[in-house]
Amino acid sequence: MSSDSPSDIIAGLRRASRRTTLAVPGSSVKMLAKATGLEADEVFLDLEDAVAGPAKIEARSQVVDALSAGGFRARQLAVRVNAWDTEYTVGDLTEVVSGLAARSEGARAEGGAGRQVPLDTVILPKVREAGEVAAVDLILRQLERTHGLIEGAIGLQPQIEDGMGLINVDAIATASPRVVSLVFGPGDFMASLGMRSLTVGAQPEGYEVGDAYHYPLTRILVSARAHGIQAIDGPYVKVRDVEGFEKAARHTAGLGYDGKWVLHPAQVDKGNEVFTPREDDIERAAEILAVYDKSTSVSGGARGAIMVGDEMVDEAGRKMALTVRDKAVAAGIWPGP
């Protein structure tokens, strides 16, 4: 169990690698079991759209069973609860956290700071305003106190899925210190705007110039970066079209997103590849940082602009190299400390 403070735990969750986030229906025992062996960076057990209404209550206990049993290769574990426009949100939060706490009785963090449960974050869908995030924060805080958990250690990932959510994205990003990422939900976003397409993420009929999703993707990314959190792209629903998935993933990876949701095991390896810095970029970033640090030191002449190969590098170039380094560190492949 961690002896870190809640703020340290949340900071770690904001740095964690989320190249791929695998969605798993919480009502499918078979798929829950299969998900344990997949190499996605994050797995979320879904209580929302992937679970039919009559199965939602029972799925809560199945999610608790799966998380309590452990064995996941994924480094991050999450649960997506139902949105506030349903009758399930409070029950989802209460039964999952309480169930996990009951399974882990007795183990305390060093210094008596409280226990942790095998749940890193809660994904909150269809967020339209900051108050919805703040409400989940308060419920989690009471549950943490009730069960002797580390208060404030469970992170939040709000999904932006309609125009109102996009308008309020900055307030949503800062509604709770628990927020570790913003997630774009393309399907509901398309429906809310009336886009002429029946395929999630596809360009709408008649829209022939540019990318219909560039504005929401960029707006979410700008807000995430302004507030020091991650930006995660939503799913590509043609699960057998690996080439199409790769194209969509490279699009948002190039824009600067940290990762993408995946719906099928075939998408996991390709997603991890796309959102991992390339070997030549890592080598180049390491070279830039080493040469720049030396050249800007007193012993190196205190030069602020230098040549690295055939390119001039200044402080802006150093920051770009740091971005590559941070992504490589999160993926566990940075060659230095």
Side-chain angles (χ1 to χ4, degrees):
M1 292 295 166
S2 173
S3 60
D4 293 336
S5 68
S7 59
D8 290 335
I9 293 170
I10 296 298
L13 292 174
R14 290 176 175 175
R15 294 191 300 267
S17 182
R18 289 186 179 84
R19 298 169 299 177
T20 49
T21 294
L22 176 66
V24 186
S27 56
S28 173
V29 174
K30 179 180 177 180
M31 295 181 74
L32 288 169
K34 187 173 183 179
T36 60
L38 299 178
E39 298 287 352
D41 284 342
E42 179 176 62
V43 167
F44 82 82
L45 312 188
D46 196 14
L47 295 173
E48 199 219 8
D49 283 353
V51 179
K56 285 187 182 292
I57 303 300
E58 183 181 359
R60 294 169 180 168
S61 60
Q62 293 179 179
V63 164
V64 170
D65 289 342
L67 290 175
S68 298
F72 288 91
R73 293 188 181 183
R75 288 175 279 186
Q76 306 295 319
L77 298 175
V79 169
R80 181 165 71 166
V81 299
N82 285 276
W84 279 115
D85 61 354
T86 73
E87 67 270 34
Y88 300 110
T89 318
V90 175
D92 289 345
L93 291 166
T94 301
E95 292 193 29
V96 169
V97 175
S98 298
L100 292 174
R103 301 286 186 89
S104 58
E105 289 288 350
R108 278 200 162 272
E110 294 178 21
R115 298 179 294 121
Q116 283 185 272
V117 292
L119 176 63
D120 296 295
T121 61
V122 168
I123 298 172
L124 181 64
K126 300 176 178 63
V127 178
R128 306 185 78 237
E129 58 186 31
E132 297 174 11
V133 177
V136 174
D137 182 309
L138 289 172
I139 292 170
L140 287 175
R141 197 167 299 278
Q142 292 209 350
L143 288 168
E144 288 163 342
R145 290 178 179 177
T146 297
H147 299 292
L149 306 179
I150 299 176
E151 194 171 321
I154 298 173
L156 284 175
Q157 299 189 66
Q159 276 189 277
I160 306 301
E161 303 192 69
D162 67 5
M164 185 60 71
L166 193 63
I167 287 173
N168 292 325
V169 67
D170 288 321
I172 290 168
T174 56
S176 165
R178 297 178 188 266
V179 176
V180 301
S181 83
L182 295 172
V183 182
F184 179 49
D188 280 280
F189 191 87
M190 294 166 68
S192 73
L193 266 61
M195 286 187 175
R196 298 181 67 179
S197 175
L198 292 174
T199 301
V200 174
Q203 296 299 313
E205 179 185 348
Y207 195 92
E208 299 174 354
V209 179
D211 175 12
Y213 312 101
H214 182 74
Y215 172 67
L217 285 169
T218 302
R219 183 67 188 90
I220 290 168
L221 178 64
V222 169
S223 182
R225 294 296 181 256
H227 302 297
I229 58 180
Q230 293 187 357
I232 307 297
D233 189 21
Y236 184 82
V237 299
K238 293 184 178 181
V239 295
R240 293 178 178 84
D241 180 9
V242 178
E243 182 178 343
F245 169 81
E246 180 178 2
K247 181 179 179 181
R250 290 198 182 281
H251 179 75
T252 46
L255 194 60
Y257 270 64
D258 297 286
K260 185 173 179 63
W261 280 14
V262 293
L263 303 178
H264 189 273
Q267 296 178 335
V268 174
D269 289 343
K270 185 56 67 175
N272 285 340
E273 175 191 324
V274 169
F275 285 95
T276 299
R278 297 176 300 185
E279 185 176 348
D280 55 347
D281 288 336
I282 293 173
E283 292 175 355
R284 176 66 174 168
E287 179 186 19
I288 288 172
L289 293 174
V291 175
Y292 190 79
D293 286 350
K294 180 178 179 180
S295 299
T296 54
S297 67
V298 174
S299 61
R303 292 173 291 155
I306 60 171
M307 293 298 295
V308 181
D310 59 355
E311 294 184 21
M312 191 196 79
V313 174
D314 58 10
E315 182 62 20
R318 173 180 173 272
K319 291 176 181 177
M320 293 168 68
L322 286 173
T323 297
V324 174
R325 183 204 67 181
D326 290 346
K327 290 181 182 295
V329 168
I333 57 174
W334 181 250

